[in-house]
Amino acid sequence: MSKKKNNNSSINKVLTQMVLDVFEQNGNTPLNYKQVSAKLNIRDPESRDVIRDIMDEETFKQVLKEVSPGKFQLLELKTFVEGKVDLTNDGSAFIVTDDEAESDIFVAPRKLRNALHGDRVKVYVYAKTKGRRKEGEVIEILQRAKTEFTGVVKMSDRYAFLIPDDRKMMHDIFIPMTELNSATNGIKAVAEITDWPAGARNPVGRIKHVLGQQGQNDTEMNAILAEYGFPLSFPLEVEHEAEAIPADISLEEIAKRRDFRDTITFTIDPFDAKDFDDALSFKKLENGNYEVGVHIADVAHYIIPDSPLDKEAFERGTSVYLVDRVIPMLPERLSNGLCSLRPNEDKLCFAAVFELDDNANIVNEWFGKTVIHSNRRFTYEEVQEVIETKEGDFKEDILKLNELAYILRDRKFKNGAISFETTEVKFKLDEKGKPVGVYVKERKDAHKLIEDFMLLANRKVAEFISKKGKGKHKYTFVYRAHDSPKPDALASFAQFASRFGYKINTKSDKEVARSLNHLMEDVEGKKEQNVLTHLAIRSMAKAIYTTKTSSHYGLAFDYYTHFTSPIRRYPDVMVHRLLFHYLNGGQSVNAEHYEKLSQHSSQMEKRAADAERASVKYKQAEYLEDHIGTIYDGVISGVTEWGMYVEIIENKCEGMIRLRDISDDFYTLDEKNFAIIGQRKKKIYRLGDEVQIKVKQVDLTKKQIDFSLVQG
């Protein structure tokens, strides 16, 4: 068969894709060109001839095969796959498909078709040669991961570009002079891609927001928010809707609720918190048991489903906690005002109320709407002082709550929960937001007291709904699910931990949890604590929101959800609505719809965590910028083929020693043993080893810190 020619390549590509889609959509049934034309609603003879030519062409390329005279099939049904672009540093990419069993598909830079990191694409997969990796080319961009990028504006007399901060964005964005939106040379801004002409090397865009001068605190923090897709302000209609909500609580509304205003109630939060979304009520009962109420701000009472306010909260998904600011999910009138459980004010709540005996066993439980009047706003430090000195406001209530929390905590760990005590880095900032000190936040009994009662409420709400209906008749709900770790990841971590003398028993989930908890206790305060804790966490699966399963491996709970923070997490708003719906006799809701909402919530949670980490990295770099040349003790926290990461013990700042800068030998990565090895002298630097480093240089734009090794 001779190879046909077709001059109009772009039209040909589109038609070819349409033809091949027909075979895929019809289960690869053998079809002739007339049948394919009919399915494409093509009737005229000339166009049908084009379809026949395309089918001949694809047969020549071994995409189609002629299975009987004039009838064709795809040579391999899975010739086309969909997935996400994972861009590498050299501009090539791997396409990660939805099917975990499928290996990633390599795509060379020239075959990416302007696909960017994170984009969802359709890929044509070449026939695999034996022993070689799967390769392919992008034929269609299905969904852009992002179209807005932060960066620095560079201008000439006739044109301008935005140079993106994102290292995965390989293309500068061309900005016509008419689309600068008052941006000037060297300013930091947000650009939106508006077009990418065929054959053009660079996309075309417009400046959407001018952020300000590089290096200024507000500019850099806003740049991080914009980079991860979080809006810098609320739309006016959302603000107006929030302002229009009445502040007064009607007697009619109070009458619908269980009244806790005469029961001792208080909040416990960080000293700088403004959004108090949970409170505890406490009462000793006549039978000697204790009534503990976990009262959560009734955000769903104020937000009308599908209103602009609700849609905005859903899109954001979560509040974002940067180093120096909180970007709330809800406008301030709600987050810090109407919904915040401030002291000496009547507030509407949704509560989980438990009757507990002296051994923290649940005798009775109740879920429903409440009205409270908080007697006192405590900080964690104030409650910790009461616990330690046994003196202060509501001391008897706090001490009994702490005693019950200890029992709940102990029971949780005996049942197989894993205790990951990670160190949280905090900064002392001057009036301009510049870091002048770094310290590690301590978690004490006061923090754990609140955590244990929040865990109790989350677990029992999930259990209450999960036990409604069985099998196909189970009620749809939003759970916080956490899968067990993959065996290979766990085995790799166990091998590494053994180098420090720690044994991980991988025989069962319970044994894994028990040995991990022993490790976490033993490692506390030691130089390798952070490295081992982070590696252990990385070996675990990621917790997600889903309607499909209810268990949480890390907490060893069969049922778990997020009910306790609706001011700052949208899944909690969904949980409140569903719980209220079912308490009032409602039928099960559409699972597919809530699964999509859950997936979006999981994505936004990850994005917020990435933004928070980026703000910490920026402040660490900014702090060390004033300490160039300073020598510190550090621990090797990561190894790669181009260098090793070191975390400074004193302040937890992390930077990189590049292998090319270690001058006493030629070093290479031993991936299996988490080590860097000198090829001549065989000196070994392993993950967890203590080393001395000097701060070499800092790049604030890239949030990068470079160290040099102090040898000898």
Side-chain angles (χ1 to χ4, degrees):
M1 186 184 294
S2 62
K3 187 177 179 182
K4 304 277 181 180
K5 303 286 181 187
N6 193 319
N7 295 325
N8 196 333
S9 61
S10 60
I11 293 173
N12 189 45
K13 279 182 180 176
V14 173
L15 278 173
T16 299
Q17 185 56 53
M18 290 169 68
V19 168
L20 298 177
D21 283 347
V22 166
F23 285 97
E24 280 213 326
Q25 290 159 8
N26 288 274
N28 210 18
T29 304
L31 300 169
N32 61 32
Y33 80 94
K34 291 179 181 177
Q35 291 169 314
V36 171
S37 299
K39 289 183 184 295
L40 292 172
N41 206 24
I42 290 172
R43 304 278 182 238
D44 64 286
E46 280 186 22
S47 298
R48 283 165 62 170
D49 285 345
V50 172
I51 298 300
R52 184 178 59 191
D53 288 349
I54 285 171
M55 290 169 67
D56 286 347
E57 169 100 10
E58 294 307 297
T59 305
F60 178 84
K61 287 161 64 176
Q62 296 188 327
V63 175
L64 294 175
K65 62 179 176 181
E66 193 168 8
V67 292
S68 62
K71 289 212 167 185
F72 299 81
Q73 271 183 319
L74 286 168
L75 195 63
E76 186 184 347
L77 189 56
K78 282 198 172 182
T79 304
F80 297 92
V81 297
E82 293 181 10
K84 282 191 176 178
V85 177
D86 185 6
L87 211 63
T88 65
N89 290 331
D90 64 0
S92 59
F94 287 92
I95 309 303
V96 183
T97 64
D98 298 334
D99 185 351
E100 288 186 11
E102 283 278 335
S103 57
D104 297 345
I105 299 146
F106 176 79
V107 178
R110 67 184 184 281
K111 295 183 178 177
L112 268 171
R113 259 199 170 186
N114 298 339
L116 302 175
H117 180 70
D119 287 354
R120 186 162 186 82
V121 295
K122 191 167 192 176
V123 178
Y124 169 60
V125 185
Y126 305 142
K128 191 182 174 191
T129 309
K130 193 174 181 181
R132 293 189 64 189
R133 65 189 174 190
K134 279 189 175 181
E135 295 190 19
E137 64 176 296
V138 172
I139 58 164
E140 186 182 356
I141 296 165
L142 302 172
Q143 186 179 9
R144 287 285 189 196
K146 59 190 284 190
T147 56
E148 293 182 11
F149 294 86
T150 63
V152 177
V153 176
K154 297 292 181 187
M155 295 175 63
S156 72
D157 292 338
R158 299 190 313 278
Y159 56 84
F161 281 93
L162 182 109
I163 317 300
D165 293 337
D166 187 345
R167 281 178 285 169
K168 295 271 187 178
M169 176 55 170
M170 303 291 187
H171 309 271
D172 296 340
I173 302 168
F174 176 76
I175 310 292
M177 301 302 274
T178 54
E179 299 289 353
L180 277 168
N181 195 17
S182 304
T184 54
N185 189 48
I187 207 82
K188 199 146 198 175
V190 180
E192 178 186 30
I193 294 175
T194 54
D195 190 20
W196 201 327
R201 184 178 175 185
N202 298 89
V204 178
R206 67 182 184 94
I207 298 300
K208 194 172 180 183
H209 300 292
V210 173
L211 297 172
Q213 294 296 329
Q214 286 186 83
Q216 290 182 351
N217 185 62
D218 280 351
T219 299
E220 299 301 338
M221 293 300 106
N222 284 336
I224 288 169
L225 290 167
E227 183 181 344
Y228 289 96
F230 289 98
L232 305 180
S233 60
F234 286 96
L236 277 177
E237 66 172 339
V238 171
E239 291 279 14
H240 290 157
E241 186 183 340
E243 290 299 327
I245 297 171
D248 295 336
I249 301 172
S250 68
L251 293 174
E252 184 185 4
E253 184 58 43
I254 289 172
K256 297 176 187 175
R257 296 169 179 260
R258 189 168 162 184
D259 197 335
F260 278 80
R261 288 178 295 175
D262 292 331
T263 304
I264 289 170
T265 305
F266 44 78
T267 60
I268 308 173
D269 291 280
F271 74 93
D272 55 352
K274 296 185 179 70
D275 54 342
F276 314 136
D277 55 9
D278 57 79
L280 292 179
S281 67
F282 183 80
K283 180 164 67 175
K284 187 165 184 178
L285 302 174
E286 290 180 6
N287 62 7
N289 290 338
Y290 307 95
E291 182 190 81
V292 180
V294 181
H295 302 268
I296 308 302
D298 192 1
V299 173
H301 171 80
Y302 293 102
I303 300 180
I304 300 165
D306 295 323
S307 66
L309 183 54
D310 183 48
K311 288 175 181 175
E312 180 72 13
F314 167 70
E315 286 301 328
R316 291 174 179 240
T318 179
S319 296
V320 187
Y321 292 81
L322 301 188
V323 165
D324 69 332
R325 66 193 67 195
V326 178
I327 311 305
M329 181 181 80
L330 301 171
E332 194 172 315
R333 175 166 164 76
L334 285 163
S335 60
N336 296 354
L338 293 180
C339 296
S340 187
L341 307 183
R342 298 183 298 202
N344 306 314
E345 295 179 17
D346 288 355
K347 291 290 180 179
L348 301 180
C349 293
F350 207 154
V353 182
F354 305 100
E355 181 184 340
L356 303 172
D357 65 17
D358 266 317
N359 293 314
N361 295 309
I362 298 173
V363 178
N364 281 305
E365 64 183 27
W366 178 87
F367 307 103
K369 301 279 183 123
T370 61
V371 57
I372 68 164
H373 190 94
S374 173
N375 302 92
R376 174 80 146 80
R377 182 257 156 136
F378 282 102
T379 65
Y380 285 120
E381 291 77 14
E382 288 168 340
V383 170
Q384 188 62 35
E385 190 175 343
V386 172
I387 291 170
E388 290 174 5
T389 65
K390 298 181 172 45
E391 293 297 333
D393 292 350
F394 305 111
K395 66 178 181 181
E396 290 176 5
D397 311 295
I398 288 170
L399 291 171
K400 177 49 74 173
L401 283 167
N402 190 48
E403 188 183 310
L404 293 168
Y406 256 96
I407 299 169
L408 290 169
R409 197 177 315 148
D410 187 52
R411 190 177 295 153
K412 178 182 69 179
F413 291 130
K414 280 179 179 172
N415 288 337
I418 302 169
S419 172
F420 288 124
E421 290 290 339
T422 54
T423 54
E424 186 180 348
V425 176
K426 305 290 276 184
F427 296 87
K428 292 175 184 171
L429 306 174
D430 67 14
E431 65 280 358
K432 293 182 179 177
K434 189 175 176 64
V436 293
V438 187
Y439 63 97
V440 175
K441 181 181 171 184
E442 279 188 276
R443 258 172 50 84
K444 295 187 176 179
D445 284 346
H447 298 85
K448 294 173 185 177
L449 182 161
I450 284 295
E451 181 181 278
D452 287 317
F453 282 107
M454 297 305 119
L455 290 175
L456 178 66
N458 287 334
R459 174 167 62 94
K460 298 309 286 186
V461 165
E463 184 180 305
F464 174 72
I465 297 299
S466 190
K467 291 183 175 179
K468 278 183 169 289
K470 291 181 180 178
K472 290 181 180 178
H473 301 292
K474 267 189 172 295
Y475 282 36
T476 296
F477 201 53
V478 175
Y479 297 103
R480 179 66 168 175
H482 184 226
D483 207 355
S484 56
K486 291 183 178 175
D488 54 346
L490 199 57
S492 179
F493 173 72
Q495 179 195 347
F496 176 67
S498 68
R499 298 184 182 282
F500 294 87
Y502 303 109
K503 185 171 172 54
I504 305 294
N505 187 335
T506 58
K507 285 182 181 175
S508 69
D509 284 353
K510 218 158 195 177
E511 287 301 324
V512 168
R514 187 176 289 121
S515 48
L516 276 174
N517 283 333
H518 283 313
L519 185 153
M520 293 303 148
E521 285 174 25
D522 291 346
V523 83
E524 194 167 349
K526 295 178 182 174
K527 67 181 190 298
E528 66 266 24
Q529 178 182 358
N530 238 19
V531 172
L532 280 168
T533 303
H534 283 300
L535 274 179
I537 291 170
R538 284 210 316 245
S539 73
M540 299 285 117
K542 295 284 183 286
I544 59 167
Y545 297 106
T546 180
T547 61
K548 294 177 180 177
T549 182
S550 60
S551 64
H552 196 292
Y553 170 81
L555 294 170
F557 292 157
D558 290 332
Y559 310 98
Y560 194 63
T561 190
H562 273 170
F563 167 77
T564 54
S565 291
I567 289 177
R568 62 183 181 90
R569 292 187 306 225
Y570 193 80
D572 301 53
V573 178
M574 292 194 283
V575 163
H576 279 216
R577 285 175 178 162
L578 289 172
L579 178 59
F580 189 63
H581 174 69
Y582 295 142
L583 284 170
N584 285 285
Q587 294 300 302
S588 186
V589 297
N590 183 282
E592 190 178 336
H593 172 68
Y594 273 91
E595 184 61 25
K596 285 179 181 175
L597 300 184
S598 298
Q599 287 173 2
H600 173 78
S601 297
S602 296
Q603 289 164 3
M604 295 311 292
E605 177 191 36
K606 183 185 181 304
R607 211 183 278 184
D610 289 343
E612 288 158 22
R613 271 194 296 273
S615 78
V616 169
K617 281 183 176 295
Y618 183 85
K619 288 300 172 190
Q620 287 178 331
E622 194 177 16
Y623 176 72
L624 287 183
E625 194 177 34
D626 291 337
H627 294 78
I628 304 290
T630 304
I631 293 173
Y632 293 99
D633 291 327
V635 174
I636 297 173
S637 55
V639 288
T640 70
E641 59 192 22
W642 56 86
M644 54 186 176
Y645 289 97
V646 175
E647 183 184 82
I648 296 172
I649 294 170
E650 178 187 321
N651 53 37
K652 306 301 177 189
C653 295
E654 188 181 60
M656 172 173 272
I657 300 170
R658 299 184 188 277
L659 296 191
R660 64 172 183 261
D661 293 340
I662 308 177
S663 57
D664 68 335
D665 203 343
F666 177 71
Y667 287 85
T668 58
L669 173 67
D670 179 354
E671 196 168 2
K672 187 179 178 184
N673 292 300
F674 305 96
I676 301 289
I677 301 176
Q679 295 305 290
R680 286 183 292 110
K681 300 176 185 176
K682 302 301 177 189
K683 182 168 177 59
I684 299 174
Y685 292 100
R686 280 197 180 91
L687 206 62
D689 283 354
E690 199 166 334
V691 291
Q692 236 186 10
I693 60 92
K694 182 190 285 187
V695 182
K696 183 184 175 187
Q697 64 183 31
V698 169
D699 186 330
L700 277 177
T701 303
K702 294 179 179 176
K703 306 175 191 70
Q704 280 182 355
I705 302 165
D706 281 350
F707 297 150
S708 58
L709 193 62
V710 178
Q711 293 172 321

